[in-house]
Amino acid sequence: MNARMTSSRTTNSEEACDLRFGQVGMACVRVRRADAAALCEELERRVHSAPQLFARAAVVLDLSHFLDLPDDGTVDALLEAVRSAGMLPVGLAYGTSETEALAKRMGLPLIAKFRAAYEPANGGSVAPPAAAEPAPRAAEPPPREPILAEPAPGQAQGSMHHDGAVRSGQQIYARDRDLVITGTVANGAEVIADGDIHIYGGLRGRAMAGAQGDTRACIFVSDFRAELVAIAGHYRVFEQIPNDLEGQSVRCWLEGDKLLIARL
Amino acid sequence: MTAEIIVVTSGKGGVGKTTTSASLATGLAIAGKKVAVIDFDVGLRNLDLIMGCERRVVYDFINVVQGEATLKQALIKDKRHDNLYVLAASQTRDKDALTQEGVEKVLDGLSEEGFDYVVCDSPAGIEKGAHLAMYFADHAVVVVNPEVSSVRDSDRILGLLSSKTRRAERGEGAITQHLLLTRYNPARVEAGEMLSVKDVEDILGISVVGVIPESENVLAASNSGVPVILDANSLAGQAYSDTVARVLGEDRPLRFIDAPKKGFFQRVFGG
């Protein structure tokens, strides 16, 4: 997707550059309404709430939500809105041949979709948001005041409660707070929190605590069978769950760069 | 009065959705209810075969959705039960021919005709056909086989049922979810080759409404176009009768979930 060029002038015997393909994660802004002002406001809120993640982040504009593509002027305004919110639009997400023509006129690259789940399904798609931006619409609380400062770690923010099972394919995100799940998190389900995660059932899927970088976040599980656990970006996958942990009550925490798991 | 809409779904293909739809609809009809069973698997029409009415399909579901035929013209009356009707899928169209408005119109039409239950036989997968089959449902029967991939797909479906249905979107309360375990082989469960009822219930976190034992009668019944529930001698048929009774609120103990114990003579002389 991205070509990386490394110039070397020191020795003549080497070639002028290497041309390589590599994969990078990139945020994708899926525009629902051609309203530049609203888009700018929404993105500004996101950038404020997680500046490390979003400020000057490269983003791809996805226009697949529109049945008819907006005209060039509108798209220009949308791109400008992304820029003024503090992000850097680098291309358009691949859509139809019209998107391709539009990208050409704008002088922007066309970037393949990251996830097939973004296909515009009938009415509401079941698309989880891109991994770079863990904020599922369904589980999100109603719009709130923009958060201007990052919450200090450990600051009381209350917690988000989810009663019952989290099914395969579902994603739950507790923004700026702890997440408490009273059921089982199934294989293929994801629970994410900016604070701690408590699961009073089995964890068979994935749990990610400290999603905005709080290294003091912990994960507590009553019945441990996880696919993956992560704290502040440090993760462990379990192809085989260690015998001494399987089915046990455990706590996961971070010590330096090491993600540790121990029975309670 | 409105008809109760039951979707029979699974995510995975080949687990017994159509067999279950046919037996469930027939069982409800035997219990005296007026029942319509609709095949949502447009392009892979099967339900009419299992119900034994494939030669009587003139108009189908798509014809009604698109206004090319009336509901009355397309409903095929079952030859064994007067209060049971089949609405076949179209074999020649693709599933884009189904629309949400069209499906709603058909379901409303069935309510007006005085049907008590509408059984929707969902296609496999989680695409448009499956989505439309579950969207209007009041109850769901999730068919699952005792193996890990089927259980995983059912988990996904259970998640969709609690979020992507009209009841969920309108906040009218969760739809009733029934888990039906089919192709259950107690001997293989004892040998550790198959998940047990308890394993499946533990993973999915809900209890089963029925367990249908693996049985050659199912295949024979399908091939002859007779829903297996009508084969009172087969264990699968009896298990389906129990299941229908439980769906209607009766309390019946689970049967056929233990491997048959060999008697003294069988042990001595081989069985």
Side-chain angles (χ1 to χ4, degrees), chain A residues 50-82:
Chain A
Q52 290 134 316
L53 198 58
F54 292 130
R56 293 188 55 76
V59 296
V60 174
L61 206 61
D62 181 352
L63 300 171
S64 61
H65 199 71
F66 297 102
L67 289 176
D68 299 308
L69 276 184
D71 58 53
D72 293 15
T74 314
V75 176
D76 251 340
L78 292 173
L79 291 168
E80 192 47 47
V82 175

Side-chain angles (χ1 to χ4, degrees), chain B residues 32-270:
Chain B
K33 310 291 182 188
K34 188 173 178 187
V35 184
V37 54
I38 306 180
D39 191 348
F40 274 75
D41 204 349
V42 177
L44 294 168
R45 175 184 125 186
N46 281 161
L47 179 69
D48 50 318
L49 289 171
I50 311 289
M51 295 294 292
C53 64
E54 75 274 15
R55 297 188 173 280
R56 292 191 288 142
V57 178
V58 181
Y59 293 109
D60 57 47
F61 188 25
I62 299 294
N63 292 135
V64 184
V65 164
Q66 306 208 325
E68 297 155 355
T70 64
L71 201 47
K72 277 208 169 98
Q73 285 174 308
L75 283 171
I76 306 162
K77 192 184 224 185
D78 186 69
K79 54 189 175 230
R80 306 171 201 96
H81 303 96
D82 284 344
N83 47 349
L84 175 59
Y85 295 81
V86 179
L87 192 49
S90 171
Q91 183 73 340
T92 51
R93 313 287 270 275
D94 63 63
K95 53 182 176 294
D96 293 333
L98 281 181
T99 60
Q100 188 158 308
E101 300 72 41
V103 172
E104 186 172 19
K105 191 183 75 180
V106 170
L107 294 175
D108 287 347
L110 290 169
S111 275
E112 283 163 26
E113 293 287 326
F115 279 88
D116 299 308
Y117 286 95
V118 179
V119 177
C120 301
D121 181 22
S122 170
I126 52 175
E127 309 303 323
K128 190 176 187 187
H131 171 74
L132 288 175
M134 73 167 67
Y135 185 73
F136 297 100
D138 304 301
H139 311 269
V141 174
V142 177
V143 183
V144 59
N145 286 171
E147 49 118 356
V148 286
S149 55
S150 174
V151 172
R152 170 82 60 95
D153 291 358
S154 299
D155 194 52
R156 180 88 166 95
I157 288 291
L158 287 166
L160 295 178
L161 284 169
S162 58
S163 58
K164 301 283 172 192
T165 55
R166 183 167 67 172
R167 290 182 81 96
E169 285 178 8
R170 290 186 179 174
E172 293 173 338
I175 78 175
T176 334
Q177 299 171 342
H178 302 288
L179 188 65
L180 181 65
L181 194 51
T182 59
R183 304 221 160 138
Y184 196 71
N185 186 329
R188 295 188 64 188
V189 172
E190 271 183 19
E193 298 167 359
M194 236 182 213
L195 297 179
S196 70
V197 178
K198 187 171 177 303
D199 291 338
V200 175
E201 286 183 334
D202 279 354
I203 296 172
L204 293 177
I206 58 175
S207 49
V208 298
V209 72
V211 177
I212 312 297
E214 193 170 40
S215 151
E216 51 244 45
N217 303 74
V218 173
L219 185 63
S222 296
N223 285 338
S224 56
V226 182
V228 70
I229 195 170
L230 295 173
D231 183 353
N233 294 321
S234 75
L235 301 187
Q238 294 171 39
Y240 269 118
S241 296
D242 286 355
T243 303
V244 173
R246 288 189 205 106
V247 169
L248 287 170
E250 212 177 296
D251 197 15
R252 288 196 186 181
L254 285 178
R255 295 193 277 171
F256 322 119
I257 56 171
D258 297 313
K261 296 277 175 286
K262 285 190 172 177
F264 173 73
F265 286 100
Q266 277 177 307
R267 261 183 300 178
V268 173
F269 300 108

Side-chain angles (χ1 to χ4, degrees), chain A residues 227-238:
Chain A
E227 286 172 347
L228 176 149
V229 290
I231 293 172
H234 300 272
Y235 67 89
R236 275 176 71 175
V237 286
F238 298 93

Side-chain angles (χ1 to χ4, degrees), chain A residues 150-157:
Chain A
E150 263 195 90
Q155 187 180 326
Q157 293 269 334

Side-chain angles (χ1 to χ4, degrees), chain A residues 92-148:
Chain A
L92 296 183
Y94 182 77
T96 58
S97 51
E98 286 152 41
T99 323
E100 203 173 337
L102 176 74
K104 251 186 197 162
R105 290 200 298 276
M106 297 276 150
L108 284 171
L110 202 60
I111 293 174
K113 277 186 186 173
F114 318 113
R115 290 183 172 210
Y118 266 103
E119 289 302 332
N122 36 296
S125 75
V126 290
E133 188 237 328
R137 301 295 172 284
E140 207 174 48
R144 305 183 303 139
E145 292 298 300
I147 301 141
L148 296 175

